Amino acid sequence: LELSARFREGDFSIKGFDKFYPDLYISHYYPVVLAVLYVLTAPSIIVGVSLNVWFAALSIVFLYLIVKEIGGTDNNAFLAGLIASIYPSYLYFGSLLIKDAILVCFTLLALLFLIKLIKNFSWERFLILSLAIGVVLHFRFYIGATLLLTLVASSLFMDLDNKEKIKFGLCILLILGFLPQIFSGQGYFGLHFFQTFSNDESIQNIGNQGPLSAESTVVKRADFDNPAKFIGNIASSFFFISMGPFPWHIKYTRQLFALLETIPWYFLAVLIVAGGRAYFKRKNYQMILPLLIFVFATLFVLSIFIDNFGTYMRIRIPVFLALLALVDFSWVKSKLKTNLNLNAFSVFKNK
């Protein structure tokens, strides 16, 4: 609102905003997007919330298209989108005037075009993918960095001849390497970020605050002095961030809503594993590898940097939505059909 007031007065510069309004200053441009929207429409919070609703709706569309792109059925795509639309963390954080809705939207857009790129390479798709990754880098650098890693790893499975792979490799080095600098000011391939947060003190401080409670820490910190302890802590953190928070982590009544997400997630995890196995059995694993690489890389990064379940429940939203693309609802139908046939056979045999 403060920025939109300045824009309405004809002052379109945001220089010095951090000094005049230190409590309002944020290092990304989401407030600028809102300010422009307020200038074009009305300076009302409901306008900003409506923008987030649109981005959330686009996220559901992109998830549906991802399921279709990897060879999923219409039913699986529809049900995955339906579950995403009632995903508790996304409903809550997507309704706030924060960057998560736009971040999730562009993350899924990047994954969609990465899968398209593997199936049928084109420079137009590569351009859209690069821009989507750039937006993600701007709003949350380490999520964008995992997307860059996913792109580099997935390039091995692209249907390109050796000459084209060399060209594409040069593009990754020359173009994608500058994305972290252009969109987030973190240097070539994010060297500034890695130099800043590669020490133990930075890792200890980066995840201190969480939206649920300052005392909701459940993940063990990384210990770089002891390799065995480091591996054990990372494995423990990875498990907590992937499946938690668990009921015994709940300390306050306001945290109970987290169980609305985690308990159903345990059942969905079974369907995700079943779906992943089905893709590998059909030898269609190249299509889901970008999703798996992104999921595991992001969860690993969160295992190092984040120790508060209020924080990681918000940051892991694109990870969970990406995993929903693998859910195989037909597996439940086949199991029920098999059990019914076995029961009918046993009844007939007894007679």
Side-chain angles (χ1 to χ4, degrees):
L1 292 175
E2 294 290 342
L3 274 178
S4 66
R6 293 178 64 173
F7 291 171
R8 287 178 184 276
E9 293 174 359
D11 182 5
F12 298 102
S13 173
I14 61 172
K15 185 177 181 180
F17 188 77
D18 56 331
K19 296 179 181 178
F20 291 112
Y21 305 100
D23 295 334
L24 302 178
Y25 178 72
I26 301 175
S27 59
H28 55 76
Y29 282 93
Y30 180 70
V32 177
V33 174
L34 290 179
V36 172
L37 185 64
Y38 290 158
V39 171
L40 297 176
T41 55
S44 173
I45 292 178
I46 191 66
V47 175
V49 173
S50 299
L51 176 67
N52 281 357
V53 170
W54 276 104
F55 279 121
L58 283 174
S59 300
I60 305 303
V61 173
F62 293 150
L63 177 59
Y64 179 92
L65 294 176
I66 287 174
V67 177
K68 294 293 295 177
E69 199 69 34
I70 63 177
T73 64
D74 291 334
N75 288 337
N76 280 348
F78 172 78
L79 291 173
L82 180 62
I83 293 173
S85 66
I86 58 175
Y87 178 25
S89 287
Y90 202 21
L91 284 175
Y92 174 69
F93 294 112
S95 65
L96 303 178
L97 283 180
I98 54 179
K99 61 186 178 181
D100 289 87
I102 188 171
L103 173 72
V104 171
C105 179
F106 278 90
T107 300
L108 293 179
L109 177 64
L111 290 172
L112 173 63
F113 273 86
L114 178 52
I115 295 169
K116 286 179 174 290
L117 206 64
I118 292 177
K119 294 179 68 174
N120 186 14
F121 180 86
S122 73
W123 291 107
E124 293 81 4
R125 292 177 174 178
F126 176 72
L127 176 61
I128 296 174
L129 171 62
S130 300
L131 293 175
I133 293 177
V135 173
V136 177
L137 282 166
H138 174 72
F139 286 109
R140 186 162 287 139
F141 179 81
Y142 45 89
I143 301 296
T146 59
L147 283 172
L148 280 177
L149 174 64
T150 303
L151 173 57
V152 173
S154 300
S155 63
L156 300 175
F157 304 97
M158 292 181 182
D159 188 17
L160 300 172
D161 57 36
N162 292 332
K163 187 176 181 180
E164 290 176 325
K165 284 184 177 180
I166 293 174
K167 290 181 180 179
F168 185 70
L170 291 175
C171 283
I172 290 178
L173 292 175
L174 296 177
I175 299 177
L176 296 185
F178 286 106
L179 286 181
Q181 174 61 30
I182 295 171
F183 285 90
S184 59
Q186 295 293 345
Y188 188 70
F189 268 114
L191 290 179
H192 294 168
F193 176 87
F194 294 111
Q195 289 174 353
T196 302
F197 294 106
S198 60
N199 59 78
D200 184 63
E201 182 179 355
S202 297
I203 291 177
Q204 294 289 331
N205 293 329
I206 193 171
N208 280 338
Q209 297 180 349
L212 292 185
S213 169
E215 300 179 11
S216 59
T217 299
V218 296
V219 180
K220 295 180 180 179
R221 290 293 194 178
D223 186 350
F224 290 91
D225 296 330
N226 188 329
K229 190 175 181 180
F230 172 78
I231 295 174
N233 287 349
I234 291 297
S236 175
S237 299
F238 190 95
F239 179 71
F240 281 134
I241 289 174
S242 303
M243 304 301 294
F246 297 100
W248 54 88
H249 294 147
I250 304 300
K251 298 180 180 179
Y252 306 98
T253 303
R254 62 180 177 273
Q255 298 172 349
L256 287 173
F257 91 94
L259 299 181
L260 296 176
E261 175 180 321
T262 55
I263 293 176
W265 182 250
Y266 303 148
F267 296 98
L268 288 173
V270 176
L271 301 181
I272 291 169
V273 172
R277 288 182 60 189
Y279 281 108
F280 275 92
K281 284 183 179 180
R282 295 198 301 264
K283 296 184 179 180
N284 196 28
Y285 58 87
Q286 293 94 336
M287 296 299 101
I288 68 170
L289 278 179
L291 299 177
L292 296 178
I293 295 171
F294 168 74
V295 165
F296 282 99
T298 303
L299 291 177
F300 178 77
V301 170
L302 296 184
S303 300
I304 297 177
F305 289 110
I306 307 299
D307 76 330
N308 181 288
F309 79 69
T311 303
Y312 71 65
M313 285 183 68
R314 175 167 59 93
I315 298 178
R316 73 184 181 184
I317 291 174
V319 172
F320 276 22
L321 294 185
L323 284 174
L324 283 179
L326 303 178
V327 172
D328 184 10
F329 295 97
S330 63
W331 181 81
V332 177
K333 183 178 179 180
S334 64
K335 288 295 181 182
L336 289 175
K337 186 177 180 180
T338 301
N339 291 335
L340 289 174
N341 289 338
L342 289 174
N343 291 336
F345 177 76
S346 63
V347 170
F348 177 79
K349 185 177 180 181
N350 292 332
K351 288 183 177 181

